[in-house]
Amino acid sequence: MASPLRSTSLSAPSVAAAVVYSAVSSLDSTIAIVTDARTLAADELVKDSPRLVALAQASEAASLVGANRAGALVNLLVPAHTLVSLIPTLRDLARQKSSVVVHVPVSSADDVSDVLSVRDAGCALIRSSSPQQAVDFALVAALSARKLSTPFIHCFDGTPPSAAISVLAYEPLAAQEQIKEFVPSADVAKSSAAKEDAEEAPQKTPAEITYETVAQAMLLFDERYSPVSYAGAADASLVHVTFGAVIRSTTAAAAAAQSKVGVLQVSLYRPISHAALIAALPKEATRLVALEQVTRQPTPWGPLLFDLAALLHSAQWDADSARARPVLIDAVSQASPSAFTAEQLAKISAHAGQFESPSHFNPAELVGVHAEQTAAAAAAGDLSKLSLDEQQKRVEKIPYGQLLRDLFKQRLNIANAASSSSIWGDAGKADSNPEFGFGQLATYERSRSRLIQAVTALLRNVNAPLSRGLHSALTSWLSGKDDAAVASLDAAQEIGRLLLAEKANHPEIEAVHALHNHLALRSNWLIGADEWAYDIGSSGVHHVISSGLNINMLVLDTATYPFEAEDKGKQRKKDIGLYAMNYGTTYVASVAVYSSYTQVLQALVEADAYPGPSVVVAYLPHSNGVFSSSYSPIEVLQQSKLAVDSGAWPLYRWNPAFEDSARRFQLDSEKLRRSLEDFLKRDNALAAIGAETPALSAAIDSSVERKAGTRLASKARGDLANLLGGLSGPPLLVLFASDNGNAEEVARRVARQGKRRGMDVRCLSMDEFDVDELPFEKTVVISVSTAGQGEIPTNGREFFKNVLSASINLNETEFAVFGLGDSHYWPREEDAIFYNKPARDIDRKLAELGGKRIIDVSLGDDQDADGWETGYADFEARLWGALKIDVVAGGAEPEEEHKRTDEENKVISNYLRGTIAQAIADTSCGYVDEWDGKLLKFHGTYMQDDRDLRAERLARSEEKAFSFMIRVRLPGGVATPEQWLAMDRLADEYGNHTMKITTRQTFQLHGVLKRNLRETMRGINRALMDTIAACGDVNRNVVASANPHQAHLQPEVAKLASDISAHLLPRTSAYHEIWLDDKMVAGGAEQTSAVEDHEPMYGSAYLPRKYKIAIAIPPENDVDVFAYDLGYIAILDDAQENILGYNIVIGGGMGMTHNNKKTYPRLASCLGYLPKDKAVIVSEKVMLVQRDFGDRTNRKHARLKYTVDDHGMDWWREQVEERMGFRFEPARPYAFSRNGDRYGWVPSVPGYQNFTMFIQNGRVADFPGNPLKTALAEVAKAHKGKFRLTCNGHLVVADVKDEDVPAMSALLAKNGLDNLNYSALRLHSMACVALPTCGLAMAESERYLPRLIDLLDKTIDEAGLRQDAIVIRMTGCPNGCARPYNAEIAFVGKAPGAYNLYLGGSHNGERLNKIFRETVTEEQILEVLTPIIKQYAVERNDGERFGDFVIRKGIVKETFEGKDFHDQ
């Protein structure tokens, strides 16, 4: 039944593109397949006809597709014979995930062969079998390409349709809605995954995802369509398999023959879905007949047979024990399967049913179809009629020789016999004479060189009487002499005719004519067998390589796999490819036609195009019994695949023509041999490649020879373990990959339970274990968490990469996998594929390698009531139930030591000492352990690593690029010029030559190495600053208004900040002992004896989490006072001259966790008013309530804001008042107007002025063209006042005397520091550090926000809003360091390049924003924000801020309470 989308209102089909590029010579009815007037582009229907652009040749496609890459779907219409030349383009499209459909009309077996020749180019391949299908499948390919971001090749019958075509009409709204439901938006179209069920998607392979997407698209047009369809007997014993071709009257044929016959039509041929094929095939099938329409195939068997062989030897097939392995029969002819009648099919079926082993026959010859073509087909006929010797020669000579003939046709010149033992030929034979072999080709090259010289001289001779036609022809030839299209045989014949007519006119014309036989560019080849590799000198291989001539060598290696070690007494075979690459000027390729047909084609084309010697080493395994019952043709395929998969025969191409070293070496298979790895590392002409070895992925890490010894040792250990199993208990290997420790905790629990059961347990991170040792492990349990967009955690990436590319046999290994993830982390339905993806991928791959599942993959979900614990409880019960190993009575292993908690770590640290002193004295590594790392935060430093270098370091088995961030305790953000210069010097001496002005109103250094920590700390203290309590579970740096309107009050709030900071400072002397040798240099803490240390306020466990304090003076809220645990809002007298006291607010905080609604940002709530003399004491009492009642069991719930919501404000007020001994007064009125900084010159106290400069994201560094750090050092040397750092990351040059203002202004102007000509959007922007140093970052922030603002500024300028301030902030993770959740526009990182978008915070920081879009990319951000910004410009009320506007317009809901933050 046809889909309701189908109508008959149009007479031509449609395809989803606004432009069609055609390289088909005649614009006949075949063009109609892809040029209908009603088309779908981007997310809406296009009313105008698509633009048809004719191409002179198909090679123009690459540049045109690239030019349109940013636009909608692009269609190409190309002849089949051009596909081989487009292989590089097709591979680029696949690599770039381009939404391109290549339509190919086919009308003969030659055309089908051309289509199949590019089946491995990385594109999806679909074939239609009728005029109506051609119409519909064109759209199926278009919609699928859009949705999957995958290029499609659609081949269809190129002959004019004989019947009317019912086509898809886009007129009705219903059609538009259904199409949009399939491809909802351009955003989804560019997503790499289809919509999948959250529980099933992660286990699906790309082939299965593509299959389901295409199947869904097909159903839009006809309910009978399917990528793989079966017709015939339900219990058929013989099944014909075709590539998209329909066999007429299949059921009638089966009935007529009274036999069980069926037909499997594969319309979606790439990627091929094994699951779909298995589901469609009857279980009773005992014979599969590959009914193939191809010609000129280079192998004795057609491509479809190869895929069926792979299917029958797949893990999916083996998993169904009820299925037998059918006999494979290859039925290859030039006739289309659709040409066979029912009776002919019955005859073919009966003939195929006689074979008991893999066989080959020509069905067209059998039934008399296309009799005139059978003679040509006989060249690839029934191999069973050939002698073993003839069969052997066929295998050796057909594949690569046929490819050369197909590719180069009349240009091909093979200069020696294929069986020659040298490049010269065999002694005693005619082809050994000098005119044969290398001598012949060398003579040709020299003659052609003389021809080029002669033509050049002739054209330069103005006296030579050349006709206009000959002059033009020779000029064109000379410019394109190395281009086969220009120097073609036809062009050479035409020039030869002109030369013959004019040679008598001048001696130089006659000289050119004498050499005219060399006008055509030939493809010169020498073909040899593997004996050429035994003596490279004697065989002449060395002569060709060193000659530099444009000669190509094809060397066949016919060794069987596995390769046996050669006897020492025999000659040793040499690696010709490796030998040739050492010259650095020879094109080299290693190919295997039975592994990657497309790669062979590309290598031969590149070798021919390379202007110098080329060596193509081709694998062709054989045996004397190649077609015997013990060694079938399928085994040749299997040997080739195994040799490539194992790395014994790597597929690669080395092209010295590329100047870019990264492109010079292309690895086309997964593994390299050790010899090639060593070659790439050597210091020779390939040194540039050697430096980029990590880019070779698993190829380098999986070298075969390097791991052979390890495998043998592992096997020995496995045998020993089996022998001693009765003594030590059954073995158990537990592996984990964990970023936050949860997956490691799961692994530890499994290990403990294993020990309790008497098992011999090992527990390791994944990257500590060699994948090649897995076959020697009996029982393996894996625990893996999910990072970012379905990524593996850092300490499992190498294992994960290697296991996915492994070809090991796990038949003796049983396994179980537990995954930890968040099912709501990627909320869109199509992104459900990322949920627990690493666990699902590992589980699937281990099963494919033959491993036996103990239980199905189990998943822990953060969304469950107990988080991952819920899933783990079920996993643990099922695991031990399946293993049936009970706890050992009376002899259980002791429980593993309880993992230390953060609270325990503080208590046992001896007041923050731990083993820090020993750790920083250890120069053998650049890091400290987890527990010292946690304690170091209390001392003001975090351990980090450069994440830009992490993967490279890991690939080289080196430790991460560890360094330390140091944060200064700087109450109120006030520093002297001398302190600025001290920090500037320390940044250069010990840091990464930059400083960060943080959102905590202080200095931060990055890149300090462990060995320099102590000296850096001492340098800070010598500048009369310190770092104690700048981080950690204590009161941190106290911030205060930096540049209030009431300038005379700033010193008062700065002093209050300093007083509070000193009052709440930890009393431990550990800081001074570790960093300063107990010498008090700076800071106001009362020091106690190092022998009897104590903490009178904090106690030995300190606080549950950090404690932050801010002080604001209305109307400026530049500190964002509501974002802190404790906030002071200054209340002034009526004259606005004096501070009377403060409204006290508590419970603010920005941090949360994505998709965990139990965590949320919160703005502080007011306790009441206190006079200013009570300001210091209230900070202590609020802290003590949090110390005593804060959550110490769950750090995600440990901030003061959760304690406020848990107990309520009335309870809090009572608790604080009880500790203070007096009550709060009612809150007093105040008003905030903004939370940004005041830029430029503003008055300070009488006689002084302040200048606030914009420092983008607080980063002080010397940038190209903007030496900011150097300029600020020059300012510090001249400045006589103070510097004030702001909570927005900017700098106030404060207290400049009026008489010094002109000089300072000139200095600022000289260094470009007075430039405030930025948009107000940029001036109110802020970003956290994020990548590359922050270990929590999920996306870029500081490095990316400036670029995003560049893009948004275009919209801002167009809308006329350049001077209108909008607060915009970005963080790389949800922890909120840049205070994003009260900004008017905010971006919170979720994965590389993906952010949650929040709107609706207030301009003065008193309202939370609300999520507007989840997981948006740059393109989507611009798409979403542009219309809102323009709407704001047009529809806002007078003085209305952007955040207020989006609330009034209902774009997002107004939100003040943190508990309402996640409500929509």
Side-chain angles (χ1 to χ4, degrees):
M1 175 181 172
S3 166
L5 284 178
R6 179 81 59 74
S7 78
T8 57
S9 59
L10 298 176
S11 58
S14 309
V15 71
V19 61
V20 177
Y21 297 108
S22 173
V24 176
S25 56
S26 60
L27 300 180
D28 57 16
S29 59
T30 63
I31 300 296
I33 298 297
V34 290
T35 56
D36 180 57
R38 310 288 183 183
T39 61
L40 183 68
D43 295 324
E44 57 187 357
L45 305 176
V46 177
K47 296 181 180 179
D48 298 327
S49 298
R51 184 165 52 95
L52 179 64
V53 179
L55 307 181
Q57 52 190 13
S59 59
E60 297 178 24
S63 60
L64 289 170
V65 171
N68 284 274
R69 192 170 295 144
L73 176 85
V74 173
N75 277 303
L76 297 174
L77 183 62
V78 301
H81 68 82
T82 65
L83 286 173
V84 171
S85 65
L86 289 177
I87 287 175
T89 299
L90 295 174
R91 285 193 161 179
D92 286 343
L93 294 176
R95 188 164 48 248
Q96 296 157 1
K97 298 183 177 180
S98 301
S99 297
V100 174
V101 180
V102 181
H103 301 273
V104 185
V106 296
S107 58
S108 67
D110 286 347
D111 290 343
V112 176
S113 298
D114 288 329
V115 170
L116 292 174
S117 69
V118 296
R119 63 187 180 274
D120 296 324
C123 303
L125 175 56
I126 189 171
R127 183 180 183 184
S128 51
S129 58
S130 69
Q132 182 61 61
Q133 274 194 6
V135 172
D136 295 340
F137 283 13
L139 273 163
V140 167
L143 293 171
S144 301
R146 284 282 315 284
K147 186 167 186 176
L148 297 171
S149 294
T150 299
F152 270 67
I153 298 173
H154 168 226
C155 62
F156 60 95
D157 187 356
T159 59
S162 58
I165 302 175
S166 171
V167 300
L168 176 68
Y170 287 120
E171 302 273 5
L173 287 177
Q176 180 177 352
E177 290 171 359
Q178 292 186 56
I179 292 293
K180 287 192 173 184
E181 182 180 353
F182 183 78
V183 185
S185 67
D187 306 340
V188 178
K190 293 177 182 177
S191 172
S192 62
K195 297 180 179 179
E196 302 292 342
D197 181 82
E199 287 299 318
E200 298 178 359
Q203 294 194 64
K204 293 179 181 175
T205 64
E208 291 168 336
I209 293 172
T210 304
Y211 179 90
E212 292 189 5
T213 302
V214 172
Q216 293 166 9
M218 286 180 171
L219 291 178
L220 292 172
F221 304 95
D222 196 314
E223 295 176 356
R224 295 167 295 183
Y225 288 164
S226 176
V228 173
S229 57
Y230 176 79
D235 58 349
S237 59
L238 185 146
V239 177
H240 297 282
V241 186
T242 73
F243 166 41
V246 174
I247 300 179
R248 296 187 305 221
S249 305
T250 301
T251 307
Q258 294 183 348
S259 59
K260 297 178 178 180
V261 176
V263 176
L264 188 68
Q265 180 184 349
V266 183
S267 297
L268 178 64
Y269 187 47
R270 282 293 184 273
I272 198 161
S273 172
H274 285 175
L277 292 177
I278 292 172
L281 282 171
K283 290 190 175 183
E284 296 79 5
T286 58
R287 290 171 179 80
L288 294 184
V289 182
L291 208 53
E292 307 193 60
Q293 181 193 17
V294 292
T295 185
R296 309 184 330 274
Q297 82 263 20
T299 60
W301 319 283
L304 185 55
L305 189 82
F306 286 4
D307 292 301
L308 293 179
L311 170 69
L312 298 187
H313 291 83
S314 67
Q316 290 167 290
W317 186 277
D318 292 338
D320 189 349
S321 58
R323 288 185 182 271
R325 187 167 281 123
V327 174
L328 286 180
I329 300 146
D330 203 19
V332 179
S333 71
Q334 295 191 38
S336 170
S338 61
F340 299 129
T341 65
E343 293 74 18
Q344 290 169 336
L345 180 63
K347 187 175 181 180
I348 294 170
S349 301
H351 182 73
Q354 300 174 4
F355 295 108
E356 299 295 334
S357 61
S359 303
H360 177 113
F361 72 96
N362 187 321
E365 185 180 28
L366 178 70
V367 299
V369 174
H370 290 239
E372 69 278 6
Q373 296 180 358
T374 56
D382 191 349
L383 294 172
S384 63
K385 299 178 182 178
L386 300 177
S387 68
L388 290 179
D389 183 61
E390 290 171 327
Q391 293 175 34
Q392 177 65 53
K393 291 181 179 179
R394 179 68 58 84
V395 174
E396 288 183 357
K397 296 182 179 180
I398 285 181
Y400 299 103
Q402 182 69 60
L403 281 174
L404 289 172
R405 286 190 290 275
D406 287 346
L407 282 172
F408 305 121
K409 299 180 173 61
Q410 293 177 309
R411 291 181 52 232
L412 179 65
N413 178 34
I414 298 178
N416 69 318
S419 58
S420 298
S421 60
S422 75
I423 64 170
W424 316 102
D426 290 336
K429 294 184 180 180
D431 62 5
S432 65
N433 294 329
E435 63 269 21
F436 286 90
F438 176 61
Q440 182 195 50
L441 297 185
T443 300
Y444 167 83
E445 286 294 314
R446 286 193 292 269
S447 298
R448 199 161 196 266
S449 179
R450 290 199 303 272
L451 171 64
I452 293 169
Q453 294 174 357
V455 171
T456 302
L458 175 60
L459 293 175
R460 287 178 177 174
N461 189 348
V462 295
N463 297 319
L466 288 174
S467 66
R468 179 177 298 177
L470 180 57
H471 188 280
S472 176
L474 288 176
T475 301
S476 297
W477 178 87
L478 190 62
S479 63
K481 61 185 181 302
D482 295 323
D483 185 341
V486 176
S488 64
L489 283 172
D490 291 342
Q493 290 175 356
E494 176 61 21
I495 295 174
R497 186 185 63 78
L498 295 173
L499 287 169
L500 179 64
E502 301 182 35
K503 68 176 184 177
N505 296 342
H506 195 277
E508 290 188 3
I509 300 178
E510 185 175 5
V512 171
H513 179 264
L515 297 168
H516 79 280
N517 288 333
H518 302 292
L519 285 167
L521 180 66
R522 297 194 307 192
S523 183
N524 296 317
W525 290 85
L526 295 168
I527 300 179
D530 48 6
E531 60 186 80
W532 283 24
Y534 285 109
D535 192 335
I536 290 175
S538 297
S539 66
V541 170
H542 167 77
H543 295 75
V544 177
I545 294 173
S546 60
S547 71
L549 298 175
N550 187 11
I551 296 173
N552 309 301
M553 283 193 298
L554 177 67
V555 183
L556 305 179
D557 193 319
T558 58
T560 57
Y561 180 83
F563 304 141
E564 297 180 0
E566 295 160 307
D567 295 337
K568 292 182 179 179
K570 296 181 179 180
Q571 273 189 305
R572 187 166 184 80
K573 187 185 295 185
K574 299 176 178 62
D575 189 330
I576 293 180
L578 185 59
Y579 179 85
M581 280 197 289
N582 274 288
Y583 273 84
T585 57
T586 302
Y587 177 90
V588 182
S590 174
V591 302
V593 70
Y594 290 95
S595 178
S596 178
Y597 178 76
T598 305
Q599 189 251 0
V600 178
L601 294 179
Q602 186 167 3
L604 295 178
V605 170
E606 290 176 349
D608 173 67
Y610 181 69
S614 300
V615 175
V616 178
V617 189
Y619 186 49
L620 187 64
H622 69 81
S623 166
N624 288 336
V626 64
F627 294 116
S628 70
S629 59
S630 63
Y631 194 82
S632 70
I634 302 303
E635 291 187 66
V636 178
L637 165 65
Q638 292 173 343
Q639 282 199 16
S640 297
K641 291 177 71 67
L642 286 171
V644 171
D645 290 343
S646 67
W649 189 271
L651 306 183
Y652 62 84
R653 289 168 290 121
W654 158 257
N655 193 343
F658 288 121
E659 294 183 3
D660 180 4
S661 60
R663 296 182 61 195
R664 214 169 287 162
F665 185 87
Q666 295 293 322
L667 181 63
D668 297 317
S669 60
E670 293 296 325
K671 299 178 189 286
L672 279 179
R673 289 195 309 273
R674 178 64 178 271
S675 56
L676 282 170
E677 175 189 346
D678 292 342
F679 165 75
L680 291 176
K681 289 181 177 178
R682 281 204 299 269
D683 184 17
N684 56 13
L686 311 180
I689 289 285
E692 299 179 12
T693 300
L696 295 177
S697 186
I700 295 303
D701 299 325
S702 302
S703 299
V704 176
E705 290 89 339
R706 181 174 63 188
K707 295 188 176 178
T710 303
R711 292 195 190 100
L712 291 175
S714 298
K715 180 65 167 62
R717 288 198 301 272
D719 293 340
L720 181 61
N722 292 333
L723 179 63
L724 300 178
L727 299 177
S728 60
L732 172 64
L733 173 66
V734 185
L735 300 176
F736 62 85
S738 179
D739 273 343
N740 60 8
N742 288 337
E744 182 177 357
E745 173 61 22
V746 167
R748 303 289 180 199
R749 291 189 191 181
V750 172
R752 288 196 294 272
Q753 290 298 321
K755 289 179 180 180
R756 294 185 64 216
R757 288 162 170 79
M759 302 184 78
D760 181 13
V761 179
R762 286 176 296 150
C763 186
L764 306 167
S765 71
M766 286 184 183
D767 283 351
E768 292 179 289
F769 185 80
D770 191 333
V771 168
D772 287 331
E773 295 189 24
L774 271 179
F776 309 110
E777 300 295 334
K778 178 174 172 45
T779 306
V780 180
V781 177
I782 294 177
S783 168
V784 56
S785 60
T786 309
Q789 198 165 13
E791 298 164 1
I792 192 81
T794 304
N795 59 350
R797 289 180 181 172
E798 283 302 300
F799 176 93
F800 185 72
K801 176 179 64 177
N802 292 337
V803 80
L804 291 185
S805 62
S807 56
I808 53 181
N809 188 328
L810 299 182
N811 287 339
E812 302 300 321
T813 303
E814 58 180 357
F815 70 92
V817 179
F818 182 76
L820 296 87
D822 185 339
S823 59
H824 291 177
Y825 192 80
W826 299 93
R828 296 188 307 186
E829 185 179 352
E830 63 271 16
D831 291 335
I833 188 174
F834 303 128
Y835 170 57
N836 265 313
K837 186 175 186 297
R840 295 173 183 270
D841 287 346
I842 291 174
D843 176 80
R844 172 182 54 79
K845 182 61 179 180
L846 294 183
E848 289 177 356
L849 294 173
K852 301 177 181 64
R853 289 187 179 94
I854 303 170
I855 57 175
D856 291 337
V857 60
S858 300
L859 306 177
D861 190 351
D862 283 349
Q863 294 300 315
D864 288 340
D866 295 326
W868 58 267
E869 296 273 8
T870 303
Y872 175 73
D874 175 68
F875 169 75
E876 185 178 56
R878 292 192 300 121
L879 174 68
W880 297 113
L883 287 174
K884 298 179 180 178
I885 303 177
D886 296 327
V887 174
V888 178
E893 289 281 342
E895 287 287 332
E896 189 169 298
E897 182 182 353
H898 171 67
K899 184 175 179 180
R900 192 186 308 173
T901 67
D902 287 84
E903 293 301 308
E904 292 168 340
N905 190 51
K906 289 181 282 187
V907 170
I908 67 175
S909 70
N910 190 16
Y911 298 99
L912 308 181
R913 289 172 177 81
T915 57
I916 292 175
Q918 297 91 321
I920 62 174
D922 179 7
T923 59
S924 65
C925 63
Y927 58 88
V928 298
D929 69 22
E930 176 185 2
W931 304 112
D932 282 335
K934 290 176 181 290
L935 295 177
L936 277 172
K937 296 179 182 180
F938 292 81
H939 296 257
T941 180
Y942 278 78
M943 183 174 70
Q944 302 177 325
D945 76 286
D946 190 330
R947 292 172 63 181
D948 288 344
L949 304 178
R950 187 180 286 179
E952 179 186 357
R953 290 270 183 139
L954 188 62
R956 296 203 304 259
S957 299
E958 298 176 359
E959 72 174 34
K960 299 174 185 176
F962 290 108
S963 64
F964 290 79
M965 177 272 287
I966 299 177
R967 185 180 297 155
V968 175
R969 185 177 67 94
L970 194 70
V974 178
T976 66
E978 292 75 21
Q979 289 171 329
W980 180 280
L981 291 171
M983 294 302 298
D984 180 88
R985 177 182 56 81
L986 291 170
D988 286 339
E989 289 185 5
Y990 302 120
N992 64 355
H993 305 283
T994 76
M995 291 188 294
K996 170 81 171 178
I997 300 176
T998 78
T999 58
R1000 299 290 302 130
Q1001 202 177 26
T1002 187
F1003 296 108
Q1004 204 162 274
L1005 297 180
H1006 290 269
V1008 179
L1009 300 180
K1010 186 176 76 170
R1011 64 175 180 267
N1012 295 327
L1013 265 179
R1014 208 166 190 222
E1015 280 305 311
T1016 311
M1017 293 287 202
R1018 288 179 173 182
I1020 292 170
N1021 275 262
R1022 280 193 289 267
L1024 301 181
M1025 297 178 290
D1026 61 41
T1027 66
I1028 186 170
C1031 319
D1033 297 341
V1034 289
N1035 174 60
R1036 298 192 177 185
N1037 194 52
V1038 182
V1039 302
S1041 228
N1043 196 18
H1045 283 275
Q1046 307 84 353
H1048 64 286
L1049 298 179
Q1050 197 283 329
E1052 182 177 343
V1053 295
K1055 183 178 185 304
L1056 176 60
S1058 181
D1059 290 346
I1060 292 173
S1061 182
H1063 183 70
L1064 300 180
L1065 205 63
R1067 296 302 191 252
T1068 177
S1069 59
Y1071 181 85
H1072 297 85
E1073 292 172 18
I1074 294 171
W1075 308 110
L1076 310 172
D1077 289 334
D1078 204 23
K1079 296 178 181 177
M1080 182 63 182
V1081 178
E1086 177 186 349
Q1087 298 304 298
T1088 61
S1089 168
V1091 178
E1092 296 181 1
D1093 223 338
H1094 70 289
E1095 287 287 3
M1097 277 191 296
Y1098 288 107
S1100 61
Y1102 295 85
L1103 297 181
R1105 283 296 302 273
K1106 55 191 171 186
Y1107 183 56
K1108 296 182 177 181
I1109 300 175
I1111 307 167
I1113 304 177
E1116 295 293 321
N1117 187 20
D1118 54 338
V1119 297
D1120 262 333
V1121 70
F1122 299 104
Y1124 294 79
D1125 298 277
L1126 173 63
Y1128 294 77
I1129 302 172
I1131 302 299
L1132 279 59
D1133 60 16
D1134 293 340
Q1136 300 292 296
E1137 290 293 326
N1138 300 296
I1139 296 176
L1140 300 176
Y1142 298 91
N1143 282 350
I1144 306 300
V1145 297
I1146 62 169
M1150 292 282 104
M1152 67 168 220
T1153 300
H1154 282 311
N1155 297 315
N1156 184 348
K1157 293 185 179 181
K1158 295 179 181 178
T1159 66
Y1160 47 80
R1162 189 185 190 281
L1163 298 181
S1165 305
C1166 189
L1167 282 173
Y1169 169 84
L1170 287 177
K1172 64 181 181 180
D1173 63 329
K1174 309 294 191 211
V1176 174
I1177 194 63
V1178 73
S1179 69
E1180 175 191 327
K1181 302 312 178 185
V1182 170
M1183 186 189 79
L1184 292 179
V1185 177
Q1186 172 64 2
R1187 181 198 67 182
D1188 296 341
F1189 292 97
D1191 189 345
R1192 291 183 181 268
T1193 61
N1194 179 7
R1195 288 185 67 81
K1196 289 183 180 293
H1197 190 254
R1199 285 292 297 274
L1200 188 145
K1201 62 182 177 180
Y1202 298 116
T1203 314
V1204 169
D1205 280 345
D1206 288 346
H1207 294 278
M1209 286 299 293
D1210 290 340
W1211 179 90
W1212 262 91
R1213 190 174 292 107
E1214 292 173 2
Q1215 291 291 326
V1216 175
E1217 288 176 344
E1218 181 180 341
R1219 286 167 170 77
M1220 288 193 304
F1222 49 87
R1223 294 183 178 278
F1224 288 100
E1225 298 178 26
R1228 300 192 180 184
Y1230 65 90
F1232 285 127
S1233 61
R1234 46 183 268 163
N1235 63 355
D1237 290 330
R1238 295 193 296 155
Y1239 293 105
W1241 289 104
V1242 295
S1244 181
V1245 295
Y1248 293 86
Q1249 294 196 47
N1250 300 335
F1251 181 85
T1252 304
M1253 67 181 67
F1254 172 74
I1255 298 180
Q1256 187 152 262
N1257 297 322
R1259 181 63 62 181
V1260 178
D1262 283 340
F1263 302 99
N1266 178 24
L1268 175 64
K1269 181 171 173 290
T1270 299
L1272 287 174
E1274 188 174 345
V1275 171
K1277 292 172 183 176
H1279 185 38
K1280 302 170 185 175
K1282 297 284 183 66
F1283 286 116
R1284 297 181 200 154
L1285 284 58
T1286 82
C1287 289
N1288 292 307
H1290 307 305
L1291 181 65
V1292 180
V1293 183
D1295 303 328
V1296 180
K1297 291 182 179 180
D1298 289 343
E1299 59 266 29
D1300 294 334
V1301 168
M1304 180 57 70
S1305 294
L1307 181 60
L1308 295 173
K1310 169 190 170 186
N1311 290 284
L1313 299 176
D1314 62 343
N1315 179 19
L1316 298 175
N1317 188 29
Y1318 300 107
S1319 69
L1321 181 73
R1322 189 181 299 274
L1323 292 173
H1324 287 75
S1325 66
M1326 183 163 59
C1328 69
V1329 175
L1331 297 172
T1333 54
C1334 178
L1336 300 175
M1338 302 171 179
E1340 293 283 359
S1341 182
E1342 178 187 320
R1343 297 193 295 191
Y1344 173 60
L1345 184 59
R1347 165 186 159 76
L1348 180 60
I1349 292 177
D1350 287 341
L1351 300 174
L1352 290 173
D1353 269 351
K1354 297 177 182 178
T1355 301
I1356 291 291
D1357 289 343
E1358 291 173 2
L1361 298 174
R1362 187 171 182 81
Q1363 305 304 322
D1364 292 86
I1366 301 175
V1367 177
I1368 181 171
R1369 293 170 180 172
M1370 176 177 283
T1371 58
C1373 77
N1375 289 302
C1377 292
R1379 305 190 297 277
Y1381 303 114
N1382 61 345
E1384 294 175 283
I1385 301 174
F1387 306 95
V1388 177
K1390 206 167 185 185
Y1395 301 83
N1396 281 354
L1397 170 59
Y1398 296 83
L1399 299 177
S1402 63
H1403 193 72
N1404 62 6
E1406 291 186 291
R1407 182 180 60 234
L1408 291 171
N1409 50 32
K1410 182 77 76 176
I1411 191 164
F1412 179 64
R1413 289 286 189 275
E1414 294 191 58
T1415 321
V1416 290
T1417 61
E1418 178 181 280
E1419 182 178 359
Q1420 294 162 347
I1421 289 169
L1422 299 176
E1423 180 182 339
V1424 167
L1425 282 183
T1426 296
I1428 297 176
I1429 291 172
K1430 291 184 176 180
Q1431 182 186 10
Y1432 168 62
V1434 174
E1435 301 178 13
R1436 60 178 170 166
N1437 296 330
D1438 290 344
E1440 187 175 28
R1441 296 294 187 179
F1442 181 83
D1444 300 327
F1445 173 79
V1446 297
I1447 297 295
R1448 179 172 64 83
K1449 286 292 185 179
I1451 296 173
V1452 292
K1453 288 173 58 176
E1454 187 175 46
T1455 305
F1456 292 99
E1457 292 293 331
K1459 289 185 289 187
D1460 300 330
F1461 181 74
H1462 297 292
D1463 296 340
Q1464 295 300 314

